[in-house]
Amino acid sequence: MTKIPAFAGAAALAALAALALAAPGTLAQAPPPPPADPHEWWKHEVIYEIYPRSFADTNDDGIGDLNGITSKLDYLQELGVGAIWITPCFPSPQVDFGYDVSDYEQIDPMYGTLANFDRLVAEGKKRGIRVILDLVVNHTSDQHKWFQESRSSKGSPKRDWYIWRDGKADGQPPNNWLALFGTPAWKLDPATGQYYYHFFYPEQPDLNWRNPEVEKAILDVSRYWYERGAAGFRLDAVDTLYEDPKLRDNPVVAGTDKFGRPKHDEIYDRRLPEVHDALKKLRKVADEHGAVLVGETWTSDIAELKRYYGNGDEVQLPMNFMFAMVNALSAPAFRKQIALIEEAGVWPVYVIGNHDIVRSWNRYGDGINNDAIAKVLASLYLTLRGTPVMYYGEELGMENNDPKTQDEVKDPIGVLGWPVEKGRDGERTPMQWDARQHAGFSRVKPWLPVPASARKRNVGVETADPASILNLYKRLLALRRSNEALREGEYVPLVPDDPNVLAYLRRTKGSAVLVALNMSASLPTLRDPLAGQGLKATTGRVLLGTTLAANQTIPLDAIPLRPFEVVIADVGPGR
Ligand code: GLC
Ligand code: CA
């Protein structure tokens, strides 16, 4: 197992030492941050996203909890992940299922206690699993005491912590901005007769990041959790932190959105450059604690993506979702996305699903070969150069389970947008542990229903089936850890014009691994894929395959592939 970076204890000792050395009467200089962990664990480990409501319920309320996560750490260790990212588990009225935080320094009683959190961290540490939390700081809940104070009067010391404005002369909202979740972006608050701004639901008022007190409060929140043992944060919705100070109207463009509203070119309420100053400050605190920042940085614009890395002083892992934007299995489409990221010269992050998008099993599946396709996708994002972020249940091939009627919908966007927008419930259903009722997630009816397919598709059944998606994930994760080329090697694209097969090499000076993924139902033969690569091997040794057995020797001049076949082979110089 890799070394866990030194946390708060070491930083505190360094601070004391610096104080002791300072000459009397002079101000001690802040100690320099500890050198970056040379191993940079986050470059080598797989991060596993957990939606805590849906992972494991231990107190029989149909909702998952922190003790549930702790109880599944052995499973996660066996799976082979090095960190879990838990979506918000802080006190919250749950309008946006935790993304509306009403207290940043507590655990929601529905999920447990701070002591449960401490135990999760400690038990995780024993198993080499770090805990990453979700920092939701574009907005708070409208029930947060900061907002309660802010809304109480125009003269409140917290008034400027949020974005308050008078309406226009005719009483209309201050500008034409639209909230992402289908409502106007401004809500009139009767207490003071002013509007407040919210990019998401009205219950999620935006913080005013231009106020230094807000910035300080958030940096303190991050410090608080690092000192409690969090290994980092996923930063929610980073591109929405700042708004145009003049609140100019966004230009209206042709077309309507899924809620039937006129489309806007969001130049004044999103992606403002000031976010990079905020990220640098968050990173500085993270560096002081050896922590990692994972950004929610939805973009396919490579220049924009690169900006999130800064000069190595911003987000280590900006999640770009460039794979999730490819909506069908296509070798040329994935090849292109990888090339864009590789050319950017940054440390890549690969994601195929999360709690906001339809499950990958459905999104890439063709309705017939979904399991085989899920294996191809797994073999892709887990063998590329970069950090993969998995979504719970992806390793089982969990399917989306959309609500069947509007009354069943829990996610407010689905209520508002039905039936065009069904909301995100479908991708958030309970983890499927075994064949019992409610998939072994809970002894009572869970907050969202499990699909009928859970009886066959669950950890119990798949553990016992050597050909399951779960066992493929385990093999892939073990291989990533043990194989030098997969861990450290560069990415070399092969067969650049092949319409069906995505093939590449991962290679270091001393090792080379060929990955060949047939992304089609046809029977292509890969001819001489290594031509021109200066490798001496004429045969390869299978490391992992969906048809071929491990250690089998394959000739490299012609590799016939079955539909959706995966071949990963050692083609290194030692052969
Ligand atoms: C992010 C989260 C999403 C949430 C939104 C508002 O996009 O991933 O689930 O609704 O932020 O916080
Ligand atoms: Ca529970």
Side-chain angles (χ1 to χ4, degrees), residues 52-53 56-66 68 109-112 441-442 444:
R53 292 182 75 83
D57 176 20
T58 57
N59 68 342
D60 302 331
D61 61 358
I63 294 171
D65 38 64
L66 295 188
M110 162 196 308
Y111 293 132
F441 159 77
S442 176
V444 302

Side-chain angles (χ1 to χ4, degrees), residues 96 99 136 139 181 200 204 234 236-237 296 298 354-356 424 428:
D96 193 14
Y99 282 98
V136 188
H139 47 269
F181 290 164
F200 296 96
Q204 295 168 301
R234 177 261 192 181
D236 185 60
E296 188 201 13
W298 276 99
N354 80 352
H355 64 285
D356 294 325
R424 298 164 290 179
R428 298 173 173 179

Side-chain angles (χ1 to χ4, degrees), residues 28 33 71 93 113 146 220 255 283 310 315 318 322 346 349 351-352 402 440-441 443 446 464 521 542 571-572 574:
S71 74
T113 61
W146 298 342
D220 286 348
R283 174 62 182 272
V315 182
M322 283 177 62
V346 294
V349 182
V351 181
I352 60 170
D402 278 332
F441 159 77
R443 283 179 290 209
V542 175
V571 294

Side-chain angles (χ1 to χ4, degrees), residues 150-215:
S150 181
R151 87 181 337 172
S152 66
S153 78
K154 284 189 184 171
S156 153
K158 292 263 182 331
R159 186 67 169 178
D160 188 47
W161 280 43
Y162 294 83
I163 300 163
W164 292 98
R165 288 293 187 284
D166 288 330
K168 291 193 171 146
D170 61 359
Q172 289 301 302
N175 66 22
N176 74 346
W177 297 353
L178 298 171
L180 186 72
F181 290 164
T183 67
W186 294 92
K187 182 155 182 198
L188 186 61
D189 202 43
T192 54
Q194 282 196 313
Y195 283 90
Y196 67 85
Y197 172 66
H198 57 92
F199 185 86
F200 296 96
Y201 293 126
E203 294 84 352
Q204 295 168 301
D206 273 48
L207 283 164
N208 176 15
W209 271 82
R210 295 183 190 276
N211 181 333
E213 290 174 21
V214 167
E215 188 183 277

